[in-house]
Amino acid sequence: MPSSRLARLAKMGRLAGGLASGVVSEGARQLAKGNRPRLDQLLLTPANARRLGDRLSEMRGAAMKLGQLISMDSGNVLPPELSEALARLRDKAHYMPLGQVAQVLENAWGKDWDRDFARFIFTPLAAASIGQVHDAQLRDGPRVAIKVQYPGVRQSIDSDVDNMATLLRLTHALPPEFDLTPLLAEAKRQLHDEADYLLEAGHIARYAEHLGDDPRYELPLTLPERTTAEVLCMHFLDGQPIETLAALPRTQRTQLATDLLELALREVFVWGVVQTDPNFANYRFNPANGRLQLLDFGATRVYTPPFRDALRTLLLSAIDGSEDDLARAAAQVGYFTEDDPLRYRQAFVKVLGIAAEPARRDVPFVFAGSDLPRRMRDALIQLRFHDRFSRIPPADILYLHRKISGMYLLMARLEVALPLRKIARETVSA
């Protein structure tokens, strides 16, 4: 994996060269057929989109994270080929070579670090944009999960983001109406936070304080004496993938899904400490004790009390209020301002109204098979493409979109029906 700035810049240069080569070959193919394609058509071929996604996966770090952030708001703005390539970055990364893993651990724990371990598996359990996770057994201690940061990631964050943004602009990979600027500063800030494993350890500790002795959940508590800014050592949670809940009896499955939803609502509206990456891999189930296991707190965001109050008002307006109530609450949160055209504000309130439909019902909402995602998509396509409104919500809102959409997909996968109105009211009022 490229760790120095020069090596990463060279990798970016090879990526640009590969995209240009793809343009030339596709252009020659189209001309041979008698077609006269536009440059943007040549750039955004499926092959080039795959090439972009694969190279970002190899580089990891800030380049990969920026691709992930763009994909969070890409579904109704980006071309389908690019959107699909970037979406794959959420779940895919290349592994770090064994020698680099050993070097990072030696820098953190000293030359003879391996003497403290009865077992250390160098093939990682998972790999993401910042680091990868290994299974190990301490010689005189518990089984642990060790997150090892890719070398050079912290030092390359700002330059990676700037180089990636330049590449996307020069190749016209993004539509002209897609304003990348708000995401650039956010990508840098988020990456610097996620690259500080001491900060993540603090998030886990804070989350544990909020959970208290709640018997429904388990956390991977950290071993402070073995945790540094580049290596995070945690107790190993040996649960089953969350999707296995689908095989449980409906009553038990519904209760566990309710526990997950209540937890997400408490994070946002009560605690203000939100694990914003609802990837299915970050939830597991322990059949031995019936507990839900919660993983990966690198992308945790902390929301201030005033912002939580605004979000609470927005939720209650969406459940029980009028369109005027919803419009005022949406403006307070930051979806739009008084300077935005009235037509845009009215259209976006209608989008929020569609999103809130499940929580406005007094009967349980059936997630699987609902046409709500399709209607949301159609409304956003109308807003983005036909009405030409491409404003991107603030970063704090984008991460909540990510959380909400991830929970929706999980509930649909578990095939549950939940009384959302009742759950939301009780959780927020508590």
Side-chain angles (χ1 to χ4, degrees):
M1 136 163 210
S3 57
S4 71
R5 291 188 179 184
L6 184 59
R8 296 181 71 79
L9 182 60
K11 177 77 75 171
M12 195 75 73
R14 287 194 292 274
L15 170 57
L19 294 178
S21 176
V23 168
V24 172
S25 60
E26 179 66 17
R29 192 173 70 85
Q30 293 291 337
L31 289 173
K33 292 181 177 182
N35 300 328
R36 297 179 63 85
R38 300 193 314 269
L39 177 61
D40 59 342
Q41 294 173 327
L42 298 177
L43 279 165
L44 294 177
T45 62
N48 262 357
R50 287 193 299 270
R51 185 177 288 113
L52 176 63
D54 289 343
R55 293 300 173 269
L56 295 185
S57 178
E58 289 176 9
M59 291 185 68
R60 285 151 291 189
M64 182 174 174
K65 177 60 68 174
L66 184 57
Q68 291 173 330
L69 284 172
I70 293 172
S71 76
M72 286 165 56
D73 196 51
S74 69
N76 304 290
V77 177
L78 302 186
E81 295 85 2
L82 183 58
S83 178
E84 181 181 349
L86 294 180
R88 288 201 301 268
L89 293 175
R90 301 175 200 169
D91 309 308
K92 173 187 175 185
H94 290 258
Y95 296 159
M96 194 188 332
L98 184 151
Q100 283 188 318
V101 175
Q103 186 60 57
V104 174
L105 295 176
E106 182 176 320
N107 292 341
W109 296 335
K111 188 173 182 179
D112 297 324
W113 63 269
D114 55 325
R115 292 182 179 178
D116 295 331
F117 289 85
R119 172 177 54 82
F120 188 99
I121 300 177
F122 276 90
T123 301
L125 295 169
S129 58
I130 303 298
Q132 57 190 44
V133 181
H134 295 264
D135 181 359
Q137 176 73 51
L138 286 168
R139 191 170 297 280
D140 298 314
R143 184 182 181 188
V144 291
I146 300 173
K147 186 186 290 189
V148 182
Q149 189 172 123
Y150 302 130
V153 161
R154 301 180 75 182
Q155 295 77 17
S156 66
I157 288 173
D158 292 351
S159 59
D160 259 12
V161 171
D162 291 337
N163 290 337
M164 180 63 186
T166 299
L167 176 66
L168 289 173
R169 285 169 174 150
L170 289 177
T171 58
H172 302 284
L174 299 176
E177 64 269 19
F178 192 92
D179 183 11
L180 193 62
T181 305
L183 291 180
L184 298 182
E186 174 55 31
K188 294 176 182 178
R189 191 200 71 78
Q190 182 66 36
L191 256 296
H192 280 291
D193 283 353
E194 290 192 40
D196 185 350
Y197 287 170
L198 291 173
L199 183 62
E200 181 174 354
H203 288 320
I204 295 173
R206 179 182 293 186
Y207 208 95
E209 288 180 6
H210 285 300
L211 281 180
D213 57 357
D214 194 322
R216 295 175 293 175
Y217 311 101
E218 288 182 328
L219 291 174
L221 298 178
T222 60
L223 280 67
E225 69 277 10
R226 291 194 171 275
T227 295
T228 70
E230 289 81 27
V231 175
L232 178 60
C233 187
M234 304 164 284
H235 287 269
F236 195 96
L237 297 183
D238 189 15
Q240 299 176 351
I242 194 68
E243 297 94 318
T244 61
L245 293 182
L248 294 178
R250 181 175 298 276
T251 301
Q252 186 180 5
R253 187 169 73 247
T254 299
Q255 182 57 58
L256 290 167
T258 300
D259 293 341
L260 280 171
L261 183 60
E262 286 182 356
L263 179 66
L265 290 171
R266 277 193 286 164
E267 289 180 61
V268 177
F269 298 103
V270 182
W271 304 342
V273 180
V274 185
Q275 195 275 45
T276 64
D277 184 3
N279 188 315
F280 287 4
N282 291 337
Y283 301 98
R284 298 184 75 83
F285 174 65
N286 187 346
N289 56 23
R291 292 183 176 182
L292 295 163
Q293 298 177 334
L294 314 173
L295 308 178
D296 196 345
F297 290 81
T300 300
R301 294 180 77 86
V302 178
Y303 292 101
T304 65
F307 189 65
R308 294 205 305 275
D309 290 341
L311 290 172
R312 193 177 299 112
T313 300
L314 178 65
L315 176 64
L316 295 176
S317 298
I319 293 176
D320 296 314
S322 64
E323 284 196 357
D324 289 340
D325 295 330
L326 188 55
R328 284 190 293 270
Q332 186 179 7
V333 167
Y335 275 111
F336 47 73
T337 69
E338 291 297 324
D339 295 332
D340 287 319
L342 177 61
R343 190 162 58 92
Y344 169 73
R345 286 180 277 151
Q346 291 173 335
F348 205 89
V349 167
K350 291 187 181 301
V351 171
L352 292 174
I354 295 173
E357 282 180 13
R360 296 180 75 94
R361 304 177 180 181
D362 288 320
V363 296
F365 176 73
V366 180
F367 286 86
S370 170
D371 67 346
L372 181 67
R374 178 189 59 76
R375 290 190 291 117
M376 280 288 294
R377 181 196 64 211
D378 292 345
L380 286 170
I381 287 176
Q382 175 68 36
L383 193 69
R384 300 290 197 196
F385 286 107
H386 301 295
D387 297 336
R388 310 301 292 177
F389 292 121
S390 58
R391 165 196 279 273
I392 299 176
D396 281 340
I397 296 295
L398 269 185
Y399 278 93
L400 289 182
H401 288 182
R402 184 189 194 188
K403 181 79 170 182
I404 293 168
S405 62
M407 294 304 300
Y408 187 101
L409 291 174
L410 180 53
M411 299 299 141
R413 177 70 65 86
L414 299 180
E415 297 183 347
V416 294
L418 301 180
L420 298 183
R421 187 187 189 102
K422 178 176 181 291
I423 294 172
R425 277 176 166 172
E426 290 179 354
T427 305
V428 171
S429 62

